[in-house]
Amino acid sequence: MPRVSAKRQITLPIAQCREAGIEPGDEYRCFVADGRITIVRKEAGAAKGFLRHVTGDPAMSDDESLQSALDVPRP
């Protein structure tokens, strides 16, 4: 059973890495939800086209756009 080191490092079992397609040097993302940690291998191009439905306003400057995003109330 893998353990967490004093540096909070975890060694992933080889069999699980093979099953998930994780190789040494791969990049990953970690998410915490309901007290569980999920590790997901990053894949090049996985987000391609993700924001294609978003249209910009060419009349708005970068600073105005940033301020607009910061002014949106958060739930």
Side-chain angles (χ1 to χ4, degrees):
M1 170 80 53
R3 294 180 185 255
V4 178
S5 75
K7 291 183 177 181
R8 305 299 190 264
Q9 296 171 327
I10 299 171
T11 300
L12 301 173
I14 292 173
Q16 290 177 354
C17 288
R18 285 185 183 137
E19 187 175 338
I22 297 173
E23 297 290 334
D26 282 350
E27 293 185 3
Y28 65 92
R29 296 286 314 240
C30 287
F31 304 92
V32 178
D34 298 324
R36 296 176 187 258
I37 299 172
T38 300
I39 300 169
V40 179
R41 180 175 52 92
K42 289 173 78 174
E43 294 186 33
K48 186 175 181 171
F50 184 70
L51 297 175
R52 86 180 113 214
H53 67 282
V54 176
T55 57
D57 181 354
M60 187 179 284
S61 72
D62 288 346
D63 288 336
E64 290 170 325
S65 177
L66 174 60
Q67 191 59 50
S68 172
L70 294 174
D71 290 341
V72 174
R74 307 232 178 221

